[in-house]
Amino acid sequence: MNVTVLVLDGAFDSGLATVLDALSTANELAQMCGVAAPRFEVALAGVRPEVRSALGMRVPVRPLADCPPPDCVILPAVGPKMPEPLVEALGRPDIADAIAYLRQCQAAGVQIGAACIGTFVLAEGGLLDGHDATTTWWLVPLFRQRYPRVRLDPQRILVPSGRLVTAGAALSHIDLALWLIRQHSPELAALVARYLIVDARPSQSAYMIADHLAHADPLIERFDRWTREHLHRPISLDEAARALATSKRTLSRRLAEVLGKTPLGYIQDLRAERAVHLLKTSAHSVDRIAELVGYADGVTLRALLRRRLGVGVRELRRN
């Protein structure tokens, strides 16, 4: 299987290395263990003759014209991690050239995958319009603002949609690589995960910092602060809107536009976040933690954590 890894200047070092290591490990293990799976023939390609990683290391890329026709193109993240430098980087000529190439690949039916900030490049070129996708969790407000035609689901680490697949933040590059391997051999993907000690991570929710997301909008930031102060008791949207001198409709609209959440969903995120913190840092019982985050009993809290994070109380305490 021909895999082109398209490396842009300033590529995220660990993301690029993770993809390459996972695919090379798959080739080694397939041969060593006799697993029937296609060999991944990887071509490092660039739209410029010289490419350096975010940490300044030279990446030995080949011109796209010299690479075999790809069955799959993988786009690792580029370096800028915060909104302003990322928006500036998206206007670079090399990224425009990469988008033109990716559009050609999409038109030809080539499978395309991107992780972390690489998903912004796909979205910038319109490749994700009308598709389900995920992205790095802390840039969700920017993504929603720039690409309203993408059906964004930032809770998920990996989202396949047709011939496209997107992965979430930073180290979800490994999830992207394992997904590609799994399409051809679930047995081989499981072996690679065991050799590289990769745990199953069905959701980004456990890693999201709600306070970071709240700073994207002044009203949401005030709602976040007020909710945290009252998290130990039942909260009504009417009460919150009065306290913030706004209307329920305005508050709901801003949360939907910026974060893609309902007020109830955001309150549940905060309760889950605080509950996880208490599970990891205190000896309180689950029932007591439930009280501290505004729930009547531990059963309700357990159900919330399982639904939101994909893991239970035991796993959270153990980690």
Side-chain angles (χ1 to χ4, degrees):
M1 179 180 187
N2 292 327
V3 180
T4 294
V5 179
L6 180 57
V7 190
L8 296 172
D9 205 47
F12 184 56
D13 293 69
S14 62
L16 171 59
T18 293
V19 170
L20 298 178
D21 284 341
L23 295 178
S24 65
T25 300
N27 287 337
E28 292 177 48
L29 291 176
Q31 183 176 8
M32 183 177 74
C33 301
V35 178
R39 180 176 178 81
F40 295 99
E41 301 292 347
V42 179
L44 272 177
V47 293
R48 295 292 185 272
E50 183 170 318
V51 172
R52 292 191 177 273
S53 71
L55 296 179
M57 288 183 272
R58 185 176 178 276
V59 183
V61 295
R62 299 160 57 182
L64 286 167
D66 292 351
C67 298
D71 300 300
C72 176
V73 175
I74 294 180
L75 179 67
V78 288
K81 299 178 182 66
M82 293 301 143
E84 288 188 12
L86 173 56
V87 169
E88 183 179 351
L90 289 171
R92 289 176 1 201
D94 64 320
I95 288 185
D97 290 345
I99 287 172
Y101 169 73
L102 291 166
R103 284 175 176 157
Q104 292 174 8
C105 291
Q106 186 179 46
V110 174
Q111 194 165 58
I112 300 173
C116 192
I117 292 165
T119 61
F120 275 78
V121 177
L122 297 189
E124 188 74 11
L127 281 80
L128 296 179
D129 286 355
H131 285 275
D132 297 319
T134 189
T135 192
T136 185
W137 64 262
W138 67 85
L139 290 170
V140 166
L142 176 64
F143 196 100
R144 287 191 183 280
Q145 179 187 46
R146 288 181 73 87
Y147 315 118
R149 296 181 180 177
V150 181
R151 297 193 297 267
L152 188 66
D153 185 356
Q155 306 290 330
R156 295 165 65 186
I157 282 183
L158 194 79
V159 177
S161 183
R163 299 293 290 169
L164 298 165
V165 58
T166 50
L171 296 184
S172 64
H173 283 83
I174 187 65
D175 301 274
L176 176 60
L178 288 173
W179 180 89
L180 177 60
I181 297 165
R182 194 176 298 114
Q183 302 316 296
H184 302 278
S185 173
E187 179 188 0
L188 182 57
L191 272 174
V192 172
R194 290 174 71 87
Y195 268 76
L196 299 182
I197 316 181
V198 181
D199 294 327
R201 296 170 296 168
S203 172
Q204 289 195 101
S205 298
Y207 308 95
M208 290 181 176
I209 303 171
D211 181 60
H212 182 101
L213 295 174
H215 289 305
D217 181 271
L219 178 58
I220 295 174
E221 187 171 10
R222 285 163 45 221
F223 177 61
D224 176 271
R225 187 165 54 248
W226 183 89
T227 303
R228 288 176 187 276
E229 292 171 355
H230 298 84
L231 209 56
H232 61 283
R233 61 174 179 79
I235 295 172
S236 75
L237 185 55
D238 285 312
E239 180 188 16
R242 283 196 303 271
L244 300 174
T246 189
S247 68
K248 292 191 297 182
R249 179 177 295 181
T250 297
L251 182 56
S252 297
R253 187 180 68 248
R254 293 304 298 146
L255 279 160
E257 289 174 350
V258 178
L259 301 182
K261 295 180 179 293
T262 64
L264 175 61
Y266 192 75
I267 291 169
Q268 288 178 336
D269 285 350
L270 294 184
R271 285 183 164 144
E273 179 188 88
R274 184 170 294 179
V276 169
H277 174 73
L278 291 170
L279 285 167
K280 292 177 178 291
T281 61
S282 77
H284 292 317
S285 69
V286 177
D287 284 334
R288 176 56 180 153
I289 292 174
E291 291 178 23
L292 293 172
V293 299
Y295 287 119
D297 54 63
V299 173
T300 306
L301 177 60
R302 287 177 187 272
L304 171 73
L305 294 175
R306 178 66 68 177
R307 186 173 65 251
R308 277 280 200 260
L309 310 181
V311 295
V313 168
R314 287 185 181 179
E315 294 96 324
L316 289 167
R317 283 213 140 132
R318 189 164 56 239
N319 294 330

